[in-house]
Amino acid sequence: MQKNRKNTASRVGQTPSTWRAEAPTKFSMPKKKQGSTKKKVAATLVAFVVLVGALIGADFFLSEGKVHGGVKVEGVAVGGMSKQEATERLQIAFDSKLAGASVRVKPDAESEERLAAKAVSWEGEAGEGDNGNYDDNDGEASAQNASSEASSEASLVWTFSAAELGASVDVSELVEEAYAVGQVKTAADIIPSIFTRFNSWIGGVDLVASAVFDEAKLTSALKPINDTIGSGMVNSNIAVDADGYASVRSGQTGIKVDEELFAERAQDVLLDRSDSVFDAPMRYVPVEVNDQAAQKVADSVNVALADPVTIEYGDHSWSVEAPLLGAWVTTSVQGEGNVRNLIASVDAAKAYSGLQELMGEVGYGSAKNASIDVSSGTPVIVGGVKGDGPDLRSAAEDLQDILFDTKTSRRVVCTTAQVDPALTVEDVSAWNIVEKIATFELAYGGGDGTSREFNIERCLDQLNNSLIAPGQDWHWNEVVGRCDETTGYKDAGAINDKNEFVQEPGGGICNVATGVFNAAYEAGFPILERANHSLYLAHYPLGRDAAVSWEYPTLAFTNDTENHILVTARYDGSTMFIGIWGTSLKRSVESKNSDWVETQNGGKSITNYRTVKASDGSIVSEDVFYSYFPPKKEDPKPQEESRD
């Protein structure tokens, strides 16, 4: 007891901290327990890391050569698949989706307003006293239905399939993108790859596909929209009038579908990401050349055309003044990007042909025109040979230097070179005159050289090789013209306007008109004008004669084929042969006459009916040719006929 008190007494006056310091061994056991816990935690962490690492390693091992598990493309699961398997699945999925998808496009509000304004403009243009038609360079529309047309256009909806837009999905690119999910290429990719793979496992990776469009198909598909609610951009330009004066022709801003924005919206529709109907995205197309720039060019052209240019060749000389020079001026827009300039120059081809025409025979030198020879029964192109003449190509280059470059002398001296004929083989070949379409023979004399035969043969020579372009008319007054003493025709039997047989210049030419009419009749061409004789003449085809005079009655028909046709005429002194050549439509012609009909005044009439059928048997036209003959004053004389 004494010992304990002594020990207690010895600590009197000491602080508690001093007490702890003096007895450290009492706190050694807790420190040993803390170290043990840390070791356990560390061991657990190590074990966890090892486990996670093992799982990650297993994941990398199991997904080697495959798309990582859980990866989708537009909702289509491709996880765990090889590239080939993923490609096949996605190809089937997107082919199916695009096959049944379509895009519907309607005008935007601004386009509808523009169409409505156009309708008002149509109504304003068609005032009283006019024909009610307005030409806006895109066709004609009558004022009475302009509003309804605009209304129907404003409510238009264009529908396009994926195929029409040339839409497709690059599946191979998507597969590569899917395969790249969670892949490690460098050390820096390890940590992000782990998180990406985890996200994939929980379904968080769904790749977005993109549709691509065939540019040509997309542009073609959008053309109806541009034609209806768009307008083409027109640069400011110059126009040179008939007097050779250049002035500005103002341009206009264009409006067209924004193809890039359209493709973005169409893509979302085709891949089921948005509604199928959207407004056509339009954009403005600014002019590249404005009025101010065009005015500078017009001023320079007027200076260039102010003085004439002299063209010389051998002993010949021609003065080319502003009206003709101006017809050879052309312009082009040159430059790239935002730097675009209007450039005036000489159109070498126009200058060449214009100089040839100005020089006449001198301009063509010894060149021989191409023509068609039908003497063998088959059209053959002959001629078209170059010859020696003025070097007009060099002359055109000199004109360029004189008008727009550096040459100050306004004189061109032509040397000799090869020149083209007025008609080349290429020109004639383009006519597509390859076969006989129809022919008609008609007796006209006995080869005695009478005035009547002279007139007929002169007329045949005049119309031989007459050419008619597609859609154009063959007209007697234009091809043959006057057939009287002023053009060298002789007196022969004719019928005057009093239905009397007389001797007049040009007697006999109606034989030729009748031959041409019947050839055109058998070819199935539309007959625009034809008149019968005032007296019946039995040597003509019944109900199918044709009378002509200057200027009326006359004969005309239309070339309704898509190629040129050639009318030929030859004779042997007693018979004429009218041929029509071109590219046949293989039509068939049926002809029949009515019975003679007696009139109350003693005259008579007959009607001819022609049915023209296409190669497939369908009816092209049903035509009626009416002939009326008033009472005869006397019997017709042999070999005489009308020129009325």
Side-chain angles (χ1 to χ4, degrees):
M1 290 297 294
Q2 188 66 36
K3 184 178 180 179
N4 290 338
R5 282 196 299 269
K6 183 179 180 179
N7 290 340
T8 303
S10 66
R11 292 195 297 271
V12 174
Q14 295 183 5
T15 64
S17 62
T18 303
W19 298 349
R20 287 193 294 271
E22 290 179 346
T25 56
K26 293 181 179 181
F27 298 93
S28 59
M29 288 303 294
K31 288 183 179 180
K32 289 181 180 180
K33 291 180 179 180
Q34 287 178 356
S36 176
T37 301
K38 289 180 178 180
K39 288 180 180 180
K40 290 180 179 180
V41 171
T44 302
L45 289 174
V46 169
F48 178 76
V49 170
V50 171
L51 177 61
V52 171
L55 291 173
I56 293 173
D59 182 52
F60 274 95
F61 175 77
L62 293 173
S63 62
E64 179 68 22
K66 299 180 180 180
V67 178
H68 191 268
V71 175
K72 299 177 183 178
V73 178
E74 292 284 346
V76 180
V78 293
M81 295 182 180
S82 66
K83 288 185 178 181
Q84 181 177 350
E85 292 170 336
T87 299
E88 292 174 354
R89 173 168 290 188
L90 290 178
Q91 193 69 62
I92 293 172
F94 285 114
D95 283 352
S96 176
K97 179 173 289 189
L98 293 179
S102 63
V103 173
R104 301 176 68 221
V105 186
K106 61 184 181 67
D108 61 358
E110 184 177 343
S111 296
E112 290 185 347
E113 291 178 3
R114 193 164 55 251
L115 287 172
K118 186 177 182 180
V120 172
S121 174
W122 281 340
E123 291 174 345
E125 289 289 336
E128 292 183 5
D130 63 19
N131 62 4
N133 289 335
Y134 171 69
D135 187 356
D136 67 345
N137 297 324
D138 290 323
E140 293 186 348
S142 63
Q144 63 183 4
N145 62 17
S147 297
S148 62
E149 286 187 3
S151 175
S152 63
E153 287 179 342
S155 60
L156 280 174
V157 175
W158 295 272
T159 302
F160 305 103
S161 67
E164 289 172 326
L165 298 174
S168 62
V169 174
D170 189 346
V171 171
S172 60
E173 183 177 332
L174 285 171
V175 170
E176 291 298 330
E177 186 179 352
Y179 182 75
V181 172
Q183 295 296 319
V184 176
K185 294 182 179 180
T186 65
D189 296 334
I190 295 175
I191 300 302
S193 174
I194 293 173
F195 284 101
T196 301
R197 285 173 170 258
F198 177 75
N199 190 34
S200 175
W201 275 122
I202 63 175
V205 177
D206 193 349
L207 302 179
V208 177
S210 296
V212 294
F213 297 83
D214 180 275
E215 185 175 347
K217 287 187 176 181
L218 180 62
T219 300
S220 176
L222 297 181
K223 186 179 184 301
I225 303 179
N226 285 325
D227 289 346
T228 304
I229 62 175
S231 61
M233 184 275 288
V234 179
N235 280 316
S236 296
N237 206 332
I238 66 168
V240 183
D241 63 21
D243 295 325
Y245 180 78
S247 58
V248 173
R249 187 179 64 196
S250 295
Q252 69 174 21
T253 299
I255 305 173
K256 64 179 295 186
V257 178
D258 187 324
E259 291 191 8
E260 184 175 347
L261 188 53
F262 178 93
E264 291 179 7
R265 295 182 181 177
Q267 169 184 257
D268 289 341
V269 172
L270 295 174
L271 297 177
D272 290 336
R273 294 199 289 257
S274 66
D275 294 335
S276 64
V277 181
F278 60 85
D279 289 352
M282 309 298 290
R283 69 179 180 88
Y284 287 95
V285 183
V287 297
E288 299 164 332
V289 178
N290 58 27
D291 285 2
Q292 184 178 2
Q295 186 62 60
K296 291 181 180 179
V297 176
D299 294 341
S300 69
V301 169
N302 288 328
V303 171
L305 303 183
D307 299 317
V309 176
T310 300
I311 309 293
E312 298 178 2
Y313 178 65
D315 297 331
H316 304 277
S317 177
W318 300 266
S319 179
V320 189
E321 299 186 352
L324 192 53
L325 290 172
W328 304 341
V329 171
T330 187
T331 59
S332 60
V333 177
Q334 299 180 6
E336 297 180 356
N338 296 326
V339 182
R340 305 281 280 172
N341 298 308
L342 184 67
I343 305 297
S345 61
V346 172
D347 186 317
K350 287 183 178 180
Y352 183 100
S353 60
L355 286 170
Q356 273 194 321
E357 185 175 350
L358 175 68
M359 295 177 173
E361 292 184 0
V362 176
Y364 294 101
S366 59
K368 302 297 182 183
N369 281 340
S371 61
I372 294 179
D373 181 1
V374 298
S375 60
S376 66
T378 300
V380 177
I381 299 176
V382 296
V385 181
K386 293 178 180 290
D388 292 333
D391 187 353
L392 301 182
R393 290 183 173 82
S394 295
E397 294 176 1
D398 289 339
L399 283 173
Q400 174 69 32
D401 292 338
I402 290 172
L403 298 181
F404 300 113
D405 293 327
T406 58
K407 190 173 182 178
T408 56
S409 171
R410 298 183 74 85
R411 178 169 167 263
V412 176
V413 179
C414 296
T415 58
T416 299
Q418 279 200 326
V419 295
D420 295 325
L423 283 174
T424 66
V425 171
E426 292 75 17
D427 293 334
V428 176
S429 179
W431 296 343
N432 288 325
I433 297 175
V434 297
E435 60 189 324
K436 182 190 296 182
I437 297 177
T439 187
F440 193 80
E441 301 178 15
L442 187 64
Y444 69 91
D448 302 322
T450 64
S451 294
R452 180 175 182 276
E453 291 172 0
F454 172 87
N455 290 340
I456 290 173
E457 291 172 0
R458 184 180 184 85
C459 186
L460 289 168
D461 289 338
Q462 182 68 27
L463 68 85
N464 185 37
N465 290 324
S466 50
L467 188 71
I468 311 105
Q472 299 300 306
D473 301 333
W474 188 99
H475 202 292
W476 179 274
N477 288 345
E478 296 173 0
V479 176
V480 180
R482 286 182 176 272
C483 298
D484 55 24
E485 67 278 0
T486 64
T487 54
Y489 284 81
K490 299 180 180 181
D491 285 347
I495 301 174
N496 65 14
D497 56 3
K498 298 178 181 179
N499 299 335
E500 299 172 336
F501 289 103
V502 295
Q503 293 287 311
E504 287 186 355
I509 63 171
C510 289
N511 273 271
V512 179
T514 297
V516 173
F517 166 69
N518 279 275
Y521 182 105
E522 293 295 340
F525 290 129
I527 307 298
L528 301 180
E529 293 190 63
R530 169 264 176 188
N532 66 284
H533 291 81
S534 56
L535 294 177
Y536 170 64
L537 300 169
H539 60 277
Y540 288 134
L542 182 60
R544 290 168 53 172
D545 62 315
V548 291
S549 185
W550 183 261
E551 295 178 352
Y552 186 84
T554 188
L555 173 68
F557 65 90
T558 300
N559 171 16
D560 63 344
T561 75
E562 296 181 353
N563 299 289
H564 284 70
I565 61 172
L566 183 71
V567 179
T568 61
R570 63 182 181 88
Y571 49 87
D572 61 9
S574 61
T575 305
M576 71 178 72
F577 306 87
I578 305 296
I580 299 180
W581 312 77
T583 299
S584 176
L585 298 179
K586 310 300 181 185
R587 293 169 174 166
S588 61
V589 174
E590 297 175 0
S591 175
K592 66 178 181 179
N593 287 325
S594 69
D595 294 331
W596 282 105
V597 176
E598 299 289 338
T599 61
Q600 292 182 350
N601 61 358
K604 58 182 179 180
S605 67
I606 193 169
T607 303
N608 174 265
Y609 301 93
R610 181 183 72 163
T611 301
V612 181
K613 294 183 179 180
S615 58
D616 62 359
S618 61
I619 294 178
V620 175
S621 66
E622 294 178 308
D623 309 307
V624 177
F625 301 98
Y626 178 75
S627 299
Y628 168 70
F629 302 97
K632 292 188 296 182
K633 294 184 178 181
E634 57 181 274
D635 292 334
K637 299 176 182 178
Q639 300 294 329
E640 292 186 337
E641 51 81 49
S642 165
R643 60 187 296 267
D644 293 336

